[in-house]
Each structure stands twice: as C-alpha cells, then as structure tokens.
Amino acid sequence: MSVQERLTDALYGVGWATVRKLPEPVAVRLGRSIADLAWKRRGKGVLRLEANYARVVPGAGPERLAELSRAGMRSYLRYWMESFRLPAWSRERIAGGVEIKDIHRLTDGMAAGKGVVLALPHLANWDLAGAWATTGLGIPFTTVAERLKPETLYDRFVAYREGLGMEVLPHSGGSAFGTLARRLRGGGLVCLVADRDLSASGVEVDFFGESARMPAGPALLAQQTGALLLPVTLWYDDSPVMRGRVHPPVGIPESGTRAEKTSVMTQALADAFATGIAEHPEDWHMLQRLWLEDLDPAREATA
C-alpha cells in the first residue's frame, strides 16, 4: 500500500470514528466549511464539476457555474457528513430523514413478487436512501460497490453499507450479475447507481445533448429476470430531509435484439436521470469525466 493510499484510508477512518460523534448542527457546519475551502482551492474536482454543470445548465456563465459548483461542493460534503454519521442514526432519524414521491411504484412492484431494479444517478445521498429502504420500508436489497484503493478503504465501505442492511457485491470479478439475477428471481430488490459506466461495455446514450456511456446492467437484469426497472432521483432542499422521486417504470421493448432493447432502455434511464439532474444540478456529485468527448485521449492530449 502506498503512502497516499494509507493516508486516504486513515482520513476516512477518522471521519467515521469522529464525525459520527458530533452533534448534528456541528457536523453540518463542519461539512459546509470543508466544502467552501475545497471550492476556493479550485482543484481538479471542482473544475470538473463546473465543466459537467456547463453541459447540464447550457448558457450558464462563469458566475452561475461558480455558484453551482459551490453549492455542489456543499451538497457533496453534506453527503459525506451524513454518511459518516448514518451508522449512529436511530431508526426514527433515518425514517424521518427521507421523503420519496410515488414510492408506491416500488412497494407495488415488490408486492407483485417479480423483483425490482432501482437505478439511480449520483444525486444527493443514495446511501441514506438505501438505509431508509431497509429501515423505514423494511425492504432489504442487494447492490454493487466499486472496488476502491486501498483495499482497506473498500472494506470500510462494504462494512458500512452492510451495517445499514445492504448486501454488497464487488463490481469486479464477474459474478455480481448472476447473484443480482438470482435475487431478482426470488422477488428481491436490487439498487444500482447507474449514471457512470465503470466498464468497457457501457451503452452509448444521448445525455444533455451529447454522447455518454452508462452501464447496461439495469436493462439487462430487467430483460433476463422480468423484474420491474424503476429510475429514482434524489435531491436536497433547505431542510434536514432528503427528497426523492420514483419515476415511471422503464418497459422492455416488444421487438428488437437484446442489444437494441438494452440501448432503448438505457436511454430511457438516462432521460429520467437528466430530468432529475436538470431540476437539482447542484445535488449531482459528478466530479469525474463522463461524456465521451471528455474521455477522448486525443482531445485530452491537446487540452
């Protein structure tokens, strides 16, 4: 393990050990202070966030983008402060900390017994939404986590999410898809953050007018198992409660090849994600490159 990896792991360890013990108002102020400091430093993450917001909010000038990136960093740090503190939250605090519109689409889908796939973008706090599902709704679910470096940091995240009632599978290794399919065939719930492709097999979609790739997994799982596919978007307001919406289900096309069906369904997910992101861009925590133009090595070499 490198020095940088050891430092990263140690910092996250301090966060989980220390921030969870702070009174909530103190944690909120701390998160905002850290966010503002990071924003003022204008590092790569902040600049990438602004570049992504420029596509989401076309026509926004430098001042508007700066406002959005500052709000975006505050939202991002709210996610981290909440995540560090979630293991110490009571069931009542979790249940009262989330309000989701049209949740009947999920509960009705689960009652039908065919399984449900929830697909989310990196909006607000997806971990809090998951904790709310397991505690407030009493619905356990399975998800997939990106393998982080160092391995000890990945282990921390797995333990944290399992402590919230989630079954966590590693993204790499090739066996996750089969396990997810079995859970769905058993009538279970699968939740996947699905606005950024982590493989070389993503589906190309139109996203805010430009090409990006998103994972094929949600659409493929729905096709293979007959599970209901539901997009979900989340956002913050000025209250301690996180809001959200379950969008109408993404249907499986009646005709076409598997690849064609997957393309249509993934585009439908991208459209639902775009609706939620456009309404609350500051809560979209995308500090990485996403659009194909930004991922082009030739373009990057001349930038």
Side-chain angles (χ1 to χ4, degrees), residues 161-247:
R161 288 175 174 144
E162 288 179 342
L164 298 175
M166 312 174 194
E167 180 187 21
V168 183
L169 307 176
H171 179 270
S172 59
S175 62
F177 188 91
T179 302
L180 295 174
R182 287 193 295 274
R183 299 294 182 267
L184 292 168
R185 291 192 185 99
L189 175 64
V190 165
C191 299
L192 300 171
V193 180
D195 58 343
R196 179 169 170 253
D197 180 49
L198 296 175
S199 69
S201 58
V203 178
E204 188 167 329
V205 297
D206 179 272
F207 195 52
F208 290 99
E210 296 190 44
S211 295
R213 285 196 187 95
M214 293 188 180
L220 289 173
L221 284 167
Q223 290 178 63
Q224 185 160 318
T225 67
L228 188 68
L229 176 55
L230 295 172
V232 178
T233 55
L234 307 168
W235 66 91
Y236 291 128
D237 57 19
D238 293 330
S239 77
V241 178
M242 183 179 70
R243 316 291 175 177
R245 176 186 301 117
V246 181
H247 294 255

Side-chain angles (χ1 to χ4, degrees), residues 17-37:
T18 304
V19 174
R20 66 190 296 177
K21 298 176 183 178
L22 295 175
E24 191 156 343
V26 176
V28 170
R29 290 195 298 271
L30 175 62
R32 180 162 292 199
S33 297
I34 295 172
D36 288 348
L37 179 61

Side-chain angles (χ1 to χ4, degrees), residues 57 77 94 123 127 154 158 171 196 203 218 220 263 266-267:
V57 186
L77 263 293
I94 293 173
L123 273 168
D127 285 329
Y154 170 77
V158 170
H171 179 270
R196 179 169 170 253
V203 178
L220 289 173
S263 178
T266 306
Q267 182 63 61

Side-chain angles (χ1 to χ4, degrees), residues 8 19 29 57 82-83 99 116 153 165 168 179 204 249 257 275 278 298:
T8 299
V19 174
R29 290 195 298 271
V57 186
E82 287 178 346
S83 295
E99 184 177 282
V116 175
L153 180 58
V168 183
T179 302
E204 188 167 329
T257 64
T275 297

Side-chain angles (χ1 to χ4, degrees), residues 240-264:
V241 178
M242 183 179 70
R243 316 291 175 177
R245 176 186 301 117
V246 181
H247 294 255
V250 173
I252 301 174
E254 294 182 0
S255 61
T257 64
R258 186 183 190 191
E260 289 169 343
K261 292 178 180 180
T262 301
S263 178
V264 170

Side-chain angles (χ1 to χ4, degrees), residues 285-301:
H285 308 150
M286 186 54 66
L287 281 73
Q288 297 84 23
R289 300 176 188 274
L290 179 72
W291 281 272
L292 298 189
E293 183 175 322
D294 294 336
L295 295 169
D296 180 12
R299 183 177 183 275
E300 177 68 12

